[in-house]
Amino acid sequence: KGLAVWRDGEAHFTAPRPLVMDLDALPRPARDLLPYLPKFYRPASNCYLRSPSTSMITSRGCPGRCTFCDRTVSTNRLRGHSAGRLLETIEELRKDYGFRDVIFYDDNLVTMRGTVRVLCEELTRRGAPVSWSCIARVDMVNFEVLKLMKRAGCWQVAYGIENGSQEILDALKKGITLDQVRRTLQWTREAGISTRGYFMIGVPGETVETIRRTISFMRSVPLDDFHASFFTPWPASELYHEIKRSGRFEDIDGLWGRMSGWRPVYVPDGMTAAEVERWHRRMFLAFYLRPGVIARYMRNSVRNPGVFLRMVRGGYGMIKAALSSLAGGCF
């Protein structure tokens, strides 16, 4: 079960393999077979608090119904490692490799309330031996959980916000409201945790007006960091099938190689790819080139010299983007 076989010029599939429900039964990643991780692995400069830092994925599946996401592999059934397994792994990373920071890349770590609570209580008891960050939905956390996470060493939570237009969020079946976003971001900041917002640009139905609304919204809420990717209709997602049926993919055979989220492979009606790219740059500049944001980064760099060095490296790319946008008439 669970095989895909290429035979006589066609793909043939056997019956689906049953889901692995007990993830603790799986062996740990063989990190010892890789080059020494602290030396050869570096996350993006604004994704970690202390160095060296590494990442973990602790769960599979997602109960969400977002139309832009593919759930055919991991399904809607959420399963995760136990708190005990996570603690053992964190200790391994800390003692064997010297890691001081962990990035949880799960879409739904905080959704597993019981696991997170036990994990946080034990990390707090141990004196929060590592700093850590995670991704969460704005409708899956509350103030009490966030305070517990802060005591356990959590320094940042990234939320999938996607868009500043409620109509677009509803069309994407995101299942959240802009009021929920505002409330949760405020809770997170009050708990003493940094906030990051993940957005998309160029989704079906997007217009210059909805992009302007997104920019206005992201500047009005308590966000410390921001990232926007180009909408990418991942194969097997609901939107992929809709767009494919509409004939909007001009080069379907070469599509896989361009699906990275770093360039538009789909352009909304009434816009051009160049226009979407210009607005993408403008979103970054509109968020980061503000006195309050710059001052906050400067304060952080004084408290942590490592942050300053990472800012210098990232600042070069920001200046290049700014000059490119000005030359392209973005403003």
Side-chain angles (χ1 to χ4, degrees), residues 19-24 26 29 55-63 73-83 85-86 89 103-113 115-116 119 134-136:
L19 295 177
V20 177
M21 301 306 298
D22 179 13
L23 297 193
D24 284 0
L26 299 174
S55 60
M56 291 172 56
I57 295 179
T58 71
S59 62
R60 298 179 181 180
C62 177
V73 175
S74 296
T75 77
N76 285 107
R77 185 74 178 271
L78 179 61
R79 301 96 69 204
H81 286 298
S82 66
R85 173 66 172 266
L86 299 186
T89 303
I103 308 167
F104 291 103
Y105 276 125
D106 304 64
D107 291 329
N108 297 285
L109 174 69
V110 181
T111 307
M112 300 180 293
R113 292 280 184 88
T115 299
V116 170
L119 173 66
C134 66
I135 303 171

Side-chain angles (χ1 to χ4, degrees), residues 238-255:
E238 184 176 331
L239 280 178
Y240 174 85
H241 292 299
E242 291 181 10
I243 294 170
K244 185 177 179 181
R245 284 194 297 269
S246 70
R248 294 300 302 274
F249 292 137
E250 296 179 0
D251 178 18
I252 191 70
D253 293 331
L255 195 62

Side-chain angles (χ1 to χ4, degrees), residues 91-207:
E91 280 300 291
E92 173 194 351
L93 294 172
R94 190 175 68 87
K95 292 183 177 179
D96 296 350
Y97 297 94
F99 284 116
R100 302 195 300 158
D101 185 271
V102 174
I103 308 167
F104 291 103
Y105 276 125
D106 304 64
D107 291 329
N108 297 285
L109 174 69
V110 181
T111 307
M112 300 180 293
R113 292 280 184 88
T115 299
V116 170
R117 182 170 294 278
V118 174
L119 173 66
C120 289
E121 289 173 348
E122 183 59 26
L123 286 175
T124 302
R125 189 187 68 81
R126 299 181 186 186
V130 296
S131 56
W132 55 279
S133 58
C134 66
I135 303 171
R137 285 180 58 101
V138 297
D139 57 343
M140 293 292 180
V141 296
N142 58 44
F143 189 46
E144 294 304 316
V145 169
L146 290 166
K147 288 192 295 183
L148 180 65
M149 292 165 57
K150 172 64 177 178
R151 290 195 295 270
C154 179
W155 73 275
Q156 184 182 77
V157 177
Y159 295 104
I161 301 172
E162 319 307 351
N163 203 278
S165 164
Q166 188 62 56
E167 291 81 4
I168 294 290
L169 290 178
D170 293 342
L172 294 174
K173 299 181 183 178
K174 180 68 179 178
I176 63 173
T177 67
L178 295 178
D179 285 340
Q180 285 178 316
V181 175
R182 292 188 185 93
R183 180 192 64 196
T184 300
L185 291 177
Q186 187 61 41
W187 281 345
T188 309
R189 177 165 287 187
E190 290 176 1
I193 299 175
S194 175
T195 58
R196 170 178 296 202
Y198 286 137
F199 292 78
M200 294 188 299
I201 186 172
V203 300
E206 188 89 272
T207 64

Side-chain angles (χ1 to χ4, degrees), residues 59-71:
S59 62
R60 298 179 181 180
C62 177
R65 293 292 187 271
C66 305
T67 59
F68 54 85
C69 189
D70 167 35
R71 297 176 299 278

Side-chain angles (χ1 to χ4, degrees), residues 250-275:
E250 296 179 0
D251 178 18
I252 191 70
D253 293 331
L255 195 62
W256 275 102
R258 294 181 286 122
M259 284 195 167
S260 63
W262 293 105
R263 51 181 168 171
V265 295
Y266 167 86
V267 179
D269 292 329
M271 301 188 75
T272 66
E275 191 176 13

Side-chain angles (χ1 to χ4, degrees), residues 281-298:
R281 290 193 294 269
R282 183 169 182 175
M283 291 176 75
F284 278 91
L285 298 173
F287 181 85
Y288 284 107
L289 294 187
R290 292 183 290 166
V293 175
I294 295 172
R296 183 171 65 250
Y297 269 83
M298 294 304 295

